[in-house]
Amino acid sequence: MMHKTTKLWLGKLGVGIGFVFHSFGLLAQEINEIKPTLAVTKITKNSKDGLLPVSDVGQQNTRITGRVLDSAGEPLGGVGVHLKGTSTSTVTNVDGNFVMDSPQRNGILVFTSVGFLSREFPFSSDQRVVNVTLQPDMSTIDEVVVVGYGTQKKTNLTGAVASVTFDEKLTSRSISNVSTALNGLLPGLAVNQSSGMAGNNSSTLMIRGLGTLASGAAGPLIVVDGMPDVDINRLNMQDIENVSVLKDATAASVYGSRAANGVILITTRSGAGKKPSITFSSNLAMQRPTNGIGFMADYPRSLMVHRNAQAMSASANAATYRYGTIEQWMALGMIDPIRYANTDWFDVTMRDAVQQNYNLSASGGNDVSNFFISAGIMDERGLQIGNDFARYNARINYDYKIRKNISIGARVTGNWSNYTFGFNEGFTGGSSGNAYDLRFAVAGVTPYDPFTGFYGGRSAYGEHTLVANPLALYDHLSSKRNQKQLNSIFHLEWEPLAGLKTRVDYSLNYSDQFTVNANKAVEAYDFQNEAFTGRWILGPNVGISNDDLNSYKTMASGRISYDKVFAENHQFSALAVYSEEFWHSRILGGSRLNRIHPSLTELDAASVDGQTNTGSSSREGLRSVIGRLNYAAFNKYLVELNARYDGSSRFYKGHQWGFFPSASVGWRFTEENFLSTIKDWGISSGKLRASYGGLGNNRITNSLYEQREVLTSFNYILGGSAYSGFSNNRMINQAFSWEKVNVLNFGLDLVMLNNRLSAEFDYYERKTAGMADALDISMLISGMYTAPRHNIGEMSNRGIEGNFTWSDNKNGFQYRINLNASYNRNKLEKWGQLLLRGTRFIDMPINFVYGYEDMGIAQNWQQVYDATPQGIVPGDIIRLDLNGDGRITDEDRKADPHTQTNMPHTNFALNSSFSYKGFDLNIQLQGAAGRKDYWLSNYNELSIGERYAASWDHWNNPWSVDNRDGIWPRLNSTAGGNRTQTTFWLDNLSYLRLRNVQVGYNLPEGILRKVNINNLRIFVSGENLHTFTSYRGIDPESTASMNDVYPLLKSFSLGLNINL
Amino acid sequence: MKKINKFIVSVFAGSILLSMSACVKDLLDQQATTELDNNAYWQTEADAVGGAMAMYNNIKNVFHKDYFFDGHGDYVRVRAVSSISSLGTPSNGGAYWTGSTSGHYYPEGYGSSFDNMFRFLYGGVNRANYVIDNVTNMLPRLPASKENLEGIIGEAKLMRALVYFRLITMWGDVPYIDKIVVNNDDVISIPRTPIEEVKNHILADLDYAFEKLPASRSADQKERVTKAAALALRGKVNLYWGSWNKNGWPELDTFTPDAAKADQAFRDATEDFRKVINDYGLTLFRGGAPGEIDDLGKAETLPNYFHLFLPTSNANNETIIGFTHGGQGSGVSDKLMRDIGPRETESSEVNVSPNYWLADRYQSTTTGDFLPPMEQLSDRTQDAKYAPDAATRPNSALNPQTYVGRDYRMKSTILWNGEVIQRLAGLQAEGLIPYHHGKQGVNNGVRFIDYNSGTNSGYLFRKFVRNYAGQGREEGNMTWPVIRLADVYLMFAEASNEAFGPTPEAVTLVNKVRARGNLPGLKPEKFANRDLFFDAIEQERIVELVLEGHRAFDIRRWRKIEEIWGPPNGSGKFTTNTWGNNVTVYFQNKNERAYQQCYIFKIPQSEMDRNPNLRQNTPYL
């Protein structure tokens, strides 16, 4: 299924542009008159009829001029222009211009062109300039879709492919990476962004649900211009022409072993068939957080929270913080902010983020060669202080026909980035060990005193020494990562016979990532006692570390393809590919302590004592043989067969090869004569598709060498020195091999209502087999051997996808509305060994919701007595004794077979665009439903002790005898189920997000022509403007730990696109 | 034109061939880059030695924290096991990890918590089998190295015996595996082998080891086992086998005690120990001399017994089986300091501390007998036994003078009020600082040992805590003693006492052990009969071997839990402290099952679930 919807949308806008021209008729006329020499007029007569003699331009003739554009606003050459009722006709030149001398003063011109709907247009003596836009004929157009190792006619496509063309409206958005840009554009592709951190804000991509349990392997294969394994997030969005998502086995099986979780094909721009031009675009966005934690910038009040918490279990005179302290702080906080701080840490550590994009490109082409070159800068100033990212991209795409039947080409692109950050997740999150920067960021810490130059630490009597000073941290933590990549692919293609093509491709991808960590020491100062607190926020001997990750990947492939039409109605094409891929990576790292001066950040500027180093390399190989056969009969009956045979070095010899075949059929039922009535119902084109096949995944090995029989080194000390020895630590299951996915897909494509509505439906069943798990081995051997892994699990994903696009053009007002939605059900079908009670269970989705039911907060002792005993007091959550055994045990948890905690089952988006007279408006709404998770993070901790920062929720929400309506359980309570996963904390993470609103204006072409500009558009755009959700945490889209709090960004941008 | 075409065709075909003919050699056969390929090993004699080293490294991990086991006895308290990683890696103490930070090393309620120990002991079995089988395979290939290779097989068999011995002392009948396991299916349904059969396998391994091992080794290989080790272990196995047959093991319902077997076992043990003592020139550390002792409140000079448990004495002639550690940066360090030392020694944690009763066990250097029990009085007004003169009253546990003239091993082993320890911080020695129960940090200008919540008895351990700087709390290089000569002396005395009653030979050996505490020889009434002599031997085992992981195993084979803690369903017994307070009660209102669950351990439940042919020990049914 092919969605050229975006192209269509663009087309509609093209019509809009045409209309603008039309409206500025005079200007348009001028244009035509300016360039009479360009207009290769050709007046012909219908010589067969021979009715009219060729005549010179006579007085009786009316000269009609005009221009024909396609829906994208590109000039159409070769369009037949015919004067209705006569034999007078002409064709347009390459610029789309035509001139006709009509014998009539009034009449109707008929424009026809293959692949376009013919159009009639009246002219009169008042209107002798006829500018026309032709709409593509969706039913006949030979639209070409990028598929693996080639292209296919859209009409002949039998696999499930979704596709989007990157146009100006998309690339104008202030999005820093391509993965995030894909959100909401393609049905079946789930996109989740978890952080707004500059340089770390890419999205995870998942096609048709979770297809594997292997960590890090659930994402699709990214193929850019035939190069697999390109980092999608380092592409320059402006370079992209088109993105196709291959979802079913037929579409993806030419990438067989690597395509188990779908394939994303990205094609970059080329200059083919374009007039040379230069494009410049820029975009400047101001960004703000979408959400944040409501910490109180009110220390006395937060100390009261602590007191309240302590009052739950200790007598008043045992409180850590004394009333005197609190009252003193309350009073003096107003006059002495250095000694009595009330810090708003979000305010101190965040700033307005700024994102800038600048891009310059040139492209052009002729019969022999074409080129596209571009350079771009993307610069992000992060929301958090000390977090910046800048990326520079450059690209050259070049093709040349060295002989009539031999062509060569290259795609060479490089990128470079500089990334500055403190913690990996920005603000420390769930995965960071010990530096709870925000959790312990109490308001009573002075961030920084410029007078003394000290960073504050604890100062209140009783406050914990280990309170955090996030400003000190972010000012002194410093990691700088420089990343460079070069991706290149070269090809040589030879067509010895018509239809027979051979081609070799060689690609080389190179990547280097160098990280320098050079934190600076900082000590916390107590401004009240005017002494250091003894707390080194970053220790006095902080060192320096360098880590280099260097890798290259090569691919060599040769292919032969043959296309042939037999007996007019039988189209055959065959393809065979042989390919080898090789990966090599190397890491090298070193660290030292005790730098000779904090300003020096190189290894050699530190003491050699205690230096460490690491180094390693790894290699992987993949060998593949690929075949494809297409057959189309009478343009109605379509068959496609694919197979790929892959050998991977990850597996044990003899179990390295996997075979992944697929087959599909298609039926264009609207071409059947006996169904011709369908056309009368307004369905101009319809196709049924079915496919079935297998795909593979070799990324289920835990490491590249998991299946190698190797020994582990163990030292033993003899006579005070180490004696090296080896032993076996690993039991190998030689048969451990590919994880396989079988996909069944049914699809229906319709084009209806005079091409205004297109609809696509897909139903799929994806069955993953051979999922890996460590064998549950006996304790008699597990003390020596790590368990071998087996292919033992089966999982299914079933779902439906729909994509509906309505586009129309009324009086120059064009609009396009696209609604896409997908629904996926995940289920674990089989597991070859015992599964204990947990969130992985047979007949349940992975990570299903599994927790206690709550009966609300106990208001009084009577309710406590009435409930099953569970060690609670009034103010605690009462858990339901689900199995009624009089105890609360983990058997009382209830499973929800319909909801997963880490992914929604439904994704949907509404993309709409409107244009009128040069103005355009784009709105994207995107949402997800069917995900629930327990909102339990470090920041709604109830047991709030010393040094814990308190939020306004802690002030307002906890239940107490004075606040019986409190919506949280009482403070300082870990008793019972207050902090366990109960329905009390279960939040629905469904959301609807106003993701983009963009308003643009194209300056009239006439004006632009005068300054030799083809096109100039200015726009304002807003991202993530509003989110509707009932989730109480930071962001419902995020799938990261709830302790990660770097929010997504809301941005407002202003931009400009110029085409010269 | 044709020529050009031909050229192109050949170039083209060539390039396709090029891409086909593997740009990368052995594309699908990528060797691991940081791990040694299997095929490259087990070629030379050096490989066999390396294999044995890896085995020692791994088997070390199931013995090197045996001091935690003392918590199951009555003289040591283990409050926490924070030095253990719960990640399950044996080198971080995973074998000793019980799934809980505390409690499972208390005197009661631990029997079902040693799944990891079970697992990693079998890991040790497999490591030994791995060496035995691989080196056996080398024998025909390397005839010239036969003797050395058989010696290595002997080492591995000794290690296998050591591990199986630990297994049967804890679980009774255990599955017996004596070859490399290549597939889970090979072991997933094997039943438990009766204890006697396992014991016989152990003895057979030790017979082989005794025959093939060298009698001695060069100084740089000293830590590898020798004939004496095989004999010492064989004697110990016999001694335990005798104990079980004599005293019974009712919780192991497949086992029937047999007095005749007991007698034979004690005789065999006596023989083995005698050979160890006489045939290999082994001597007690520093000739068994007590060494010098400093005055109260000083620790410049400490007795020899203290030095025996420092890494500086690793090269002693007393350790018969020991496991080495590497110290700083080696990756194979001991964590004795972290567990035993106080806060003042590199921020250690007092996870292990003495019980109060240990102090009264140290006898008078004058009389050689017990002193009157100390008076437990408190210098704190809030305590019931408050006495203003608690710190000065004669025989008060708080009065340092009370400790004068006792067994030198007391000052070497524990700290009481006023005793000093070398403060170590940041790998620097910062002077001697005193201990005072309940006082922490700086008091009136004097810095006391901080962080004493680890002890609840009023004492800390000095044994095993280094008194010199340079290593962190987890950077020790102590050779952990598993069997040392003093233990062999006492085991000889015990075995021969059981077989023949008190003999002068045995008394002499016990007196040698006592002499290192500067105690006079046993008075005749102490070995007047078999039972009295047994008590004297037990007393020596308590003070000599404290913190070395023997006591709990002794209590079980002697069936002494009831004697120590009172009968089932009784009031149990409180541990106490120097202030006279009751601290923790154990075995209060505990039924017989609770006692049974201390005498034998639980077969891991998950293994029961996997293997239908395993039978659980009765107290856990």
Side-chain angles (χ1 to χ4, degrees), chain B residues 355-357 359-360 373-379 383-387 390 393-399 402-403 456-459 574-583:
Chain B
N355 271 338
Y356 175 77
W357 302 320
D360 271 332
M374 292 183 289
E375 199 176 354
Q376 290 163 276
L377 297 169
S378 176
D379 55 358
D383 291 329
K385 299 243 179 114
Y386 171 67
R393 194 187 292 187
N395 206 33
S396 162
L398 293 189
N399 182 357
T402 307
Y403 299 87
N456 58 19
S457 64
Y459 299 112
F574 272 95
T575 59
T576 65
N577 62 16
T578 50
W579 292 324
N581 299 331
N582 282 341
V583 179

Side-chain angles (χ1 to χ4, degrees), chain A residues 406 494 502 617 619 656 708-711 715-717 719 725 727-730 776 778-780 782, chain B residues 8-9 12 20 22-23 28-30 33 35-36 38 50 57 119 126-127 130 184 223 323-324 607 610:
Chain A
I406 298 175
W494 178 44
T502 56
S617 73
R619 295 143 66 92
Q656 289 179 318
R708 300 294 303 192
E709 285 177 327
V710 295
L711 301 181
N715 288 339
Y716 195 63
I717 309 294
S727 187
N728 192 353
N729 258 17
R730 192 184 291 174
D776 176 47
S778 165
M779 283 174 115
L780 301 181
S782 66
Chain B
I8 290 167
V9 169
F12 213 88
M20 294 263 226
C23 326
L28 300 188
D29 184 24
Q30 299 297 340
T33 49
E35 294 159 301
L36 180 66
N38 223 349
N57 171 303
R119 177 181 162 206
N126 289 303
R127 299 279 178 196
Y130 182 68
N184 188 49
E223 293 89 345
F323 286 108
T324 62
E607 200 56 23
R610 283 183 202 101

Side-chain angles (χ1 to χ4, degrees), chain B residues 194-215:
Chain B
I195 188 168
E196 184 160 13
E197 214 175 296
V198 180
K199 182 219 65 170
N200 289 337
H201 285 305
I202 293 171
L203 292 181
D205 275 348
L206 292 171
D207 292 346
Y208 180 93
F210 174 59
E211 189 191 330
K212 303 292 185 186
L213 284 171

Side-chain angles (χ1 to χ4, degrees), chain B residues 402-476:
Chain B
T402 307
Y403 299 87
V404 172
R406 296 200 184 222
D407 191 333
Y408 278 19
R409 289 172 293 181
M410 184 177 215
K411 184 154 183 146
S412 307
T413 305
I414 65 172
L415 299 176
W416 56 88
N417 276 10
E419 284 302 292
V420 295
I421 196 168
Q422 180 63 250
R423 180 164 196 261
L424 305 170
L427 306 185
Q428 303 295 320
E430 304 208 328
L432 294 161
I433 65 161
Y435 167 66
H436 192 288
H437 192 206
K439 273 189 192 164
Q440 304 202 20
V442 179
N443 259 298
N444 295 326
V446 180
R447 179 188 264 278
F448 289 90
I449 289 176
D450 207 345
Y451 200 64
N452 286 328
S453 49
T455 177
N456 58 19
S457 64
Y459 299 112
L460 295 172
F461 273 121
R462 192 201 293 277
K463 187 173 174 178
F464 286 118
V465 181
R466 293 185 304 273
N467 64 347
Y468 54 87
Q471 285 158 290
R473 65 181 188 178
E474 296 193 349
E475 295 173 347

